[in-house]
Amino acid sequence: MIIRQLDEIPGTERETAAENWVSRRLLLSADGMGFSLHDTIIYPGTETRMWYKHHLEAVYCIEGEGELESLSDGQKYAIRPGTLYALNAHDQHILRSRTKLRMVCVFNPPCTGNETHDEDGAYCLADQRAEGKSLLAAQVSG
């Protein structure tokens, strides 16, 4: 059984941040669950382009307001508490925050803990990081 408290994670190796977000990783690959679970804050007034080409992700909003734009068809979706979106086709997208967003995110395959977005807005797989692929901060425009 794994028991963790969110307030124990800030400042540890389970917290990863970029210019417009901070992610507290509650479950990681090493925990052996087959997925990772993150509590993520998206800072207000930011825009993040993402493309999880190596992962599937489900996101559940528990705080704040924003907008998700699908880059395949330009469709926009309101994000507010109670909204779930699942990137089941490795969807390229832009997440815009109007206010601070707090999201619960699940990744498969699971993250190892220190991932940040690369130049495509993706997380590299663990074996790609071992090969020396660079990790870049999330792209921010605006």
Side-chain angles (χ1 to χ4, degrees), residues 4-17 22-28 112-115:
R4 293 206 170 90
Q5 298 294 323
L6 181 63
D7 62 1
E8 297 170 352
I9 292 177
T12 72
E13 68 281 350
R14 287 185 174 268
E15 182 179 63
T16 301
V22 61
S23 180
R24 290 82 52 102
R25 281 92 192 264
L26 294 156
L27 291 172
L28 293 167
T112 60
N114 61 356
E115 290 86 354

